[in-house]
Amino acid sequence: MSTALSGQWPFVGREAMFATVVDLVQQGRHVTLTGAAGVGKSRMAAEVAAHVAASGVTVHRVAASPSTTPIPLAAVSTLVGGQVSGDLVGAALATLGADGRAGPGDPLLVVDDAHALDDASAVVVHQLALSGRVRVLMTVRDGSVAPEAIVRIAHEPGHLRLATETFDAPTVRDLLERVLGGLVEGHTLHRLCTGSGGNALYLRELVEGSLAAGQLERQHGTWRLTGDPAATSLLDELILRRVHPLDQAATDALELLAVGGAIDLRVAERLV
């Protein structure tokens, strides 16, 4: 019998990192959260933003995406009020309510997927970081090529990069038992851990897909897989989006590794 989960999953396994990021932001530091797609960078940024906002600080979030990268100032349009020239940084500071008095009351600007910013938006974010009147918390995907202005922020005094890691098995167990409301059988835990690689997004989509397909069931009070884990359509789309730009040789290599597992590099080179 299948079931469905609703709502946001619990925020677990990140307590130490959360405390560190909050402390850095409260010190007026700029922070960049790095990691693979789906690992939980955006969730961490959102949790920090909510905590800071609860203390009365102004928090503003902008999000970049590949679809808006070709459009100048698309990501920061809500900050600059539709301006395309003039004092864009001044307009952004006014929107944020930055009063020029450096301290714990400075606004916090959260920039999600900063690597996908258009160049003009990246320059505005860089100048805001330099102003000393705004704290910046960014997420950047590993392996991405970020705009030069975003790269420069990493070299500014007071900036710190923190890696968002995948979940280990104990954290996956804790998360699943909270979400599912019961114990998870050991072999099932192992399959979900290895299948997701500890990636928070992949794990959720595997659990949701397996529940919907009737492959993850509660039996005698314990959750166990009764078949292969099933992915949701969202997870399928995410994977296809990563694979689609690859050429045939790269695709052949991926298929070889998917079937054969760890393969000696010299053997793989001869085969593809």
Side-chain angles (χ1 to χ4, degrees), residues 57-123:
V57 170
T58 297
V59 176
H60 190 97
R61 176 181 177 272
V62 299
S65 72
S67 62
T68 61
T69 302
I71 307 172
L73 299 173
V76 297
S77 59
T78 57
L79 281 176
V80 300
Q83 288 185 227
V84 294
S85 62
D87 186 6
L88 299 175
V89 176
L93 288 170
T95 299
L96 292 168
D99 59 14
R101 293 178 294 179
D106 282 344
L108 173 66
L109 176 62
V110 179
V111 185
D112 210 5
D113 289 337
H115 55 275
L117 285 172
D118 60 273
D119 288 337
S121 292
V123 170

Side-chain angles (χ1 to χ4, degrees), residues 85-238:
S85 62
D87 186 6
L88 299 175
V89 176
L93 288 170
T95 299
L96 292 168
D99 59 14
R101 293 178 294 179
D106 282 344
L108 173 66
L109 176 62
V110 179
V111 185
D112 210 5
D113 289 337
H115 55 275
L117 285 172
D118 60 273
D119 288 337
S121 292
V123 170
V124 171
V125 171
H126 179 230
Q127 293 302 307
L128 288 172
L130 287 180
S131 73
R133 297 161 62 181
V134 176
R135 293 167 286 180
V136 178
L137 173 60
M138 302 188 297
T139 68
V140 172
R141 182 183 301 162
D142 284 349
S144 61
V145 180
E148 178 62 26
I150 296 302
V151 175
R152 288 182 182 180
I153 294 178
H155 300 291
E156 298 297 337
H159 173 273
L160 192 66
R161 291 173 65 93
L162 295 175
T164 311
E165 305 292 349
T166 54
F167 291 141
D168 57 16
T171 302
V172 171
R173 178 185 292 278
D174 180 28
L175 179 57
L176 291 181
E177 291 182 349
R178 293 195 194 192
V179 168
L180 296 171
L183 298 176
V184 179
E185 182 256 342
H187 184 60
T188 294
L189 175 68
H190 174 74
R191 294 180 71 185
L192 290 172
C193 279
T194 55
S196 66
N199 182 292
L201 175 61
Y202 295 176
L203 177 65
R204 173 166 185 152
E205 298 309 310
L206 281 178
V207 170
E208 295 278 9
S210 299
L211 285 170
Q215 303 285 63
L216 180 60
E217 296 181 346
R218 191 169 191 168
Q219 300 177 349
H220 308 294
T222 300
W223 288 92
R224 54 174 44 89
L225 284 166
T226 57
D228 291 331
T232 62
S233 59
L234 173 60
L235 185 54
D236 288 340
E237 291 169 8
L238 288 171

Side-chain angles (χ1 to χ4, degrees), residues 18-42:
F18 171 79
T20 297
V21 178
V22 168
D23 185 54
L24 290 168
V25 167
Q26 289 176 338
Q27 293 175 29
R29 307 277 293 274
H30 304 312
V31 179
T32 297
L33 304 176
T34 64
V39 78
K41 306 180 298 299
S42 297

